[in-house]
Amino acid sequence: MARQSPYLITNYSKDLRLFGSSWRRAGLLLLAALFIVLPLQLDDFWLSLLATVGIYAIGAIGLNLLTGYAGQVSLGHAFFFGVGAYCAAWFGGGSAVGTRDGVLFLDLPMFVWLPLAGLIGAALGALVGPVALRLSGQYLAIVSIGLLFVGDWILLGWVSATNGSQGLRVTAEPAIGPVNFSDLNIFGSAFSPEQGEFWFVWGLVAVVALMAKNIVRSRPGRALQAIRDRDVAAEIIGVNPARAKIGVFALSSGIAAVAGGMYGMIVVRTVTPETFTGFGGLVTSITFIAIIIVGGISTISGAIVGSLVVVTLRQVTSRFVDVLPFLKQTPNDDGLMLVGQFNLIVFGLLIIIFLLAEPLGLVALWRRVTTYFKAWPFSY
Amino acid sequence: MSDSSTAGTKMTTPLLVVDGISLRFGGVQAITDMSFDVNRGELFAVIGPNGAGKTSIFNCINAVYKPQQGSIRLDGTEIVGMHPRETAEMGVARTFQNLGLFGNLDIVDNLMLGRHHLMKTGFLSGAVWWGRAKHEEISNRATVEKIIDLLELGNFRRKPVGMLPYGIQKRIELGRCLAMEPRLLLLDEPVAGMNLEETEDMARYILEVRSSLDVTMIMVEHDMHVVMDLADRVMAVDFGIRLATGTPEEVQQDQRVIDAYLGKAS
Ligand SMILES: Nc1ncnc2c1ncn2[C@@H]1O[C@H](COP(=O)(O)OP(=O)(O)O)[C@@H](O)[C@H]1O
Ligand SMILES: [Mg+2]
């Protein structure tokens, strides 16, 4: 008994480590290596695709806190994503598409406007949150669609700020102090915008994922899961459901707005209502739901894995729209259906297939496979 | 502490005073003008047939339901009109007749949730983790592990509790109550649906809790053997009305109780 097994956990601090086992540490190292090496290896198409994947992953982490952990199904996520995207133009720098003058743009540095976008998203989420207290399940899902149409009405109606359906150009750059990730120069070697943006986006994915993981493994995150599983029991042990639900609504909306700000600045560079509100917003919200269901509901890594699958699928279909004869880019082209309609059908099918066959998503599937091989040859 | 006379009266006054509560649901009279006291350190049992209003009494003490009349005082503080989560802060813990566990979480998380009202970490300090959140996790985890040891739950640690056997889940729910550091523990049919072995285990744990922790208990139970073995005093109810209160022997011999409950049951 003089020597302890190296696998014995001897204190709670060790047990609470996120990367406690050697397997996990190896995985973390692999991810870090990929983070550094991928931009040096992949071409710009794949890098910008992966940046989009990362941005959707951040938004999906927010939705997973709300839907996966707190059990509140919302179809309004695209609205808060849009709030962030418009904030990128308003506060980070932009111009109106077309001839409109008089829209006010600030040129705040990113470390000011991106958190500000998050705060505005969170504040709006906290305002909408009380509705979530009264509703749950499918009722909340349906009412939250209303947010998308209220959003449409605001964006199209408030022309002096939003420039209506023509939208706003985003000129903000992903720069922190002198380091501009779109124009990266390290020790005399210049990198393409796609390379720098990959590092920026995935660095932020890591930060958001870590913060979300910390929340769900500590007191506030446990309270959310308690309310989801048994609300009366949660209340009698001292959880305040109103505070928890409004808090998670604000948090998830704030994260969505941060993701939206990045989306406006890095992916689209022009923000228009149709991505975030109305029917197009519904497609975006369903994309987020597909991501968390495919990846794994109530897991942080599931949002990332799901985004990898769903967003890649989406980008690849729009890239190969010319090759696939049944798809068309605009209503006047030849073809059976629009890319957007096709994506909606695919995501709908993915949601149904996963809910039936693997309701806990790819992450759960992966865990089952690894436990199987850990116990091999004794697995059955 | 130096004033021995007030300390003395505090020890002799009942912990819980239920004074003339009545509870109606529309036309259903669940509780009618019911009064009883529970002394400090006592194990007080409530018996009665199904639908007698036993769970409703718990729901009133827990402030889940608000009786239309009467008062409930815990150590002199009025509970009627409180919010359920405030009763947790007052030190009332409770198990449910049909389990009230968080099925997708493991034992550690379920028990840590029992400590929710004793912890402070919010969304912001939780997101940061280092500092307060981590410190709070570690110190509360130590308490939770002691309870896991006391109730011999260590073998089931990292599984969602919803997947564990019923008897184990009942024990976890008792553990979550203990994690709350309660003054008053409400057990709603702790051995219902258990086989003989599980029942004996649970009775042993209840005795263990009594001897190692300073906690007052009210237990609703159908199993007369358990009640007769464990309880200091028993209250029999039927149709929301108190029939008799006394030692297990006295209540067992009360004619109204025999008519209403024991006679029918045996
Ligand atoms: N939430 C409720 N709504 C309507 N009636 C209720 C409710 N809770 C309890 N009751 C009624 O109150 C009576 C007592 O129920 P209960 O306290 O659960 O009995 P016991 O726990 O003794 O079996 C029953 O007639 C039951 O139908
Ligand atoms: Mg009952």
Side-chain angles (χ1 to χ4, degrees):
Chain A
M1 286 307 287
R3 269 176 48 139
Q4 268 184 348
S5 154
Y7 303 111
L8 189 70
I9 290 167
T10 48
N11 66 45
Y12 304 130
S13 177
K14 269 191 192 152
D15 195 35
L16 291 172
R17 277 187 198 160
L18 286 182
F19 298 94
S21 72
S22 38
W23 279 108
R24 283 177 173 233
R25 273 199 290 275
L28 184 65
L29 267 176
L30 181 68
L31 288 179
L34 283 176
F35 174 75
I36 295 167
V37 171
L38 278 183
L40 307 175
Q41 297 297 323
L42 295 179
D43 70 34
D44 287 346
F45 169 76
W46 291 106
L47 285 178
S48 74
L49 186 148
L50 284 174
T52 310
V53 167
I55 289 168
Y56 270 89
I58 292 174
I61 288 172
L63 185 65
N64 217 349
L65 289 171
L66 181 70
T67 301
Y69 287 91
Q72 309 274 302
V73 181
S74 165
L75 284 165
H77 209 56
F79 172 83
F80 300 102
F81 193 59
V83 167
Y86 275 82
C87 282
W90 286 328
F91 303 122
S95 60
V97 175
T99 53
R100 173 167 296 278
D101 294 322
V103 182
L104 205 65
F105 296 101
L106 301 177
D107 281 291
L108 299 174
M110 189 181 67
F111 78 87
V112 177
W113 75 256
L114 193 55
L116 181 66
L119 285 178
I120 291 172
L124 289 172
L127 277 179
V128 177
V131 178
L133 294 180
R134 312 225 152 254
L135 302 165
S136 62
Q138 65 272 45
Y139 301 105
L140 177 60
I142 290 163
V143 170
S144 63
I145 296 177
L147 201 57
L148 299 175
F149 290 92
V150 172
D152 213 37
W153 180 73
I154 293 172
L155 288 182
L156 293 176
W158 191 21
V159 185
S160 62
T162 62
N163 197 23
S165 60
Q166 285 191 297
L168 306 174
R169 224 175 271 112
V170 182
T171 56
E173 296 280 343
I176 303 171
V179 184
N180 184 347
F181 287 93
S182 292
D183 184 15
L184 209 54
N185 234 304
I186 304 173
F187 303 127
S189 44
F191 294 94
S192 73
E194 285 78 6
Q195 289 176 306
E197 284 160 9
F198 176 95
W199 279 315
F200 170 61
V201 167
W202 284 92
L204 204 66
V205 171
V207 172
V208 173
L210 183 65
M211 285 174 31
K213 182 74 194 173
N214 286 340
I215 286 173
V216 300
R217 67 185 175 137
S218 60
R219 178 177 176 270
R222 271 197 298 262
L224 299 178
Q225 299 169 72
I227 293 170
R228 175 197 63 194
D229 283 4
R230 269 301 183 107
D231 52 356
V232 175
E235 276 201 78
I236 65 123
I237 60 168
V239 173
N240 184 339
R243 183 183 296 173
K245 281 184 186 171
I246 292 178
V248 74
F249 224 98
L251 181 67
S252 111
S253 310
I255 294 175
V258 168
M262 313 250 296
Y263 186 75
M265 170 172 61
I266 289 170
V267 180
V268 281
R269 303 288 288 169
T270 301
V271 292
T272 50
E274 76 244 14
T275 324
F276 309 110
T277 58
F279 180 74
L282 188 59
V283 175
T284 304
S285 287
I286 289 175
T287 308
F288 279 117
I289 289 181
I291 289 172
I292 61 173
I293 287 175
V294 168
I297 201 105
S298 326
T299 57
I300 302 298
S301 47
I304 299 170
V305 174
S307 180
L308 208 52
V309 173
V310 170
V311 176
T312 305
L313 204 68
R314 195 189 66 172
Q315 302 296 90
V316 167
T317 46
S318 29
R319 167 124 198 222
F320 295 108
V321 59
D322 301 336
V323 194
L324 300 168
F326 59 95
L327 290 183
K328 54 184 175 179
Q329 194 83 57
T330 63
N332 300 327
D333 295 346
D334 282 342
L336 195 60
M337 63 180 98
L338 287 164
V339 186
Q341 294 169 326
F342 176 73
N343 282 333
L344 201 56
I345 292 171
V346 171
F347 297 158
L349 284 176
L350 272 178
I351 291 175
I352 292 167
I353 291 168
F354 269 84
L355 285 182
L356 290 177
E358 187 58 76
L360 297 176
L362 289 174
V363 169
L365 190 68
W366 166 254
R367 280 192 197 139
R368 266 219 306 284
V369 171
T370 48
T371 19
Y372 180 89
F373 283 107
K374 262 185 208 158
W376 194 86
F378 302 108
S379 35
Y380 48 88
Chain B
M1 293 301 278
S2 59
D3 190 344
S4 61
S5 69
T6 49
T9 46
K10 201 173 161 66
M11 288 316 291
T12 51
T13 56
L15 176 68
L16 182 78
V17 179
V18 175
D19 191 4
I21 58 166
S22 295
L23 177 71
R24 275 183 306 279
F25 297 104
V28 180
Q29 187 78 32
I31 304 172
T32 307
D33 192 26
M34 183 173 292
S35 303
F36 61 94
D37 297 349
V38 180
N39 297 318
R40 283 158 216 281
E42 186 173 39
L43 203 164
F44 186 87
V46 180
I47 61 170
N50 268 327
K54 305 179 298 294
T55 300
S56 298
I57 296 173
F58 276 10
N59 279 324
C60 289
I61 300 175
N62 238 170
V64 175
Y65 297 158
K66 188 177 175 198
Q68 283 85 3
Q69 271 127 50
S71 103
I72 302 173
R73 290 182 300 277
L74 182 76
D75 239 347
T77 308
E78 182 61 56
I79 282 180
V80 176
M82 267 192 183
H83 202 275
R85 68 170 182 280
E86 293 170 307
T87 66
E89 284 151 24
M90 297 272 300
V92 181
R94 176 254 176 99
T95 68
F96 289 81
Q97 189 170 346
N98 317 305
L99 289 169
L101 288 173
F102 309 116
N104 293 303
L105 302 181
D106 63 20
I107 294 189
V108 172
D109 281 336
N110 268 278
L111 267 56
M112 288 294 278
L113 270 158
R115 303 194 64 74
H116 183 87
H117 68 111
L118 302 166
M119 296 166 75
K120 287 204 169 60
T121 305
F123 281 105
L124 282 182
S125 52
V128 175
W129 181 255
W130 290 280
R132 176 199 267 179
K134 187 181 177 198
H135 185 259
E136 207 176 54
E137 284 298 308
I138 291 173
S139 61
N140 284 281
R141 179 69 185 277
T143 316
V144 161
E145 291 293 335
K146 275 189 207 127
I147 294 164
I148 290 179
D149 281 350
L150 178 78
L151 299 180
E152 298 169 292
L153 288 165
N155 290 341
F156 312 96
R157 190 172 270 116
R158 285 293 176 196
K159 268 208 177 138
V161 296
M163 292 167 64
L164 297 173
Y166 180 75
I168 303 295
Q169 293 195 43
K170 280 275 196 190
R171 211 193 294 170
I172 297 170
E173 209 184 4
L174 174 64
R176 189 179 67 196
C177 287
L178 299 184
M180 294 173 71
E181 297 185 4
R183 286 190 287 172
L184 178 63
L185 185 50
L186 311 175
L187 302 174
D188 200 347
E189 310 206 10
V191 303
M194 287 188 174
N195 62 32
L196 186 64
E197 196 190 337
E198 289 172 324
T199 302
E200 283 175 352
D201 277 348
M202 184 53 98
R204 190 161 54 80
Y205 290 117
I206 291 172
L207 286 175
E208 179 98 19
V209 166
R210 265 200 98 178
S211 66
S212 60
L213 302 168
D214 174 33
V215 54
T216 307
M217 288 189 226
I218 308 179
M219 178 173 74
V220 163
E221 192 41 73
H222 270 301
D223 188 312
M224 289 314 293
H225 296 288
V226 171
V227 171
M228 297 305 154
D229 283 354
L230 298 181
D232 300 313
R233 282 193 305 148
V234 179
M235 173 173 76
V237 294
D238 196 11
F239 297 113
I241 297 166
R242 187 183 76 170
L243 297 179
T245 312
T247 64
E249 294 73 26
E250 286 166 4
V251 171
Q252 227 169 355
Q253 279 150 24
D254 190 288
Q255 195 53 47
R256 285 167 302 175
V257 177
I258 294 169
D259 291 347
Y261 178 67
L262 295 172
K264 272 185 269 172
S266 57

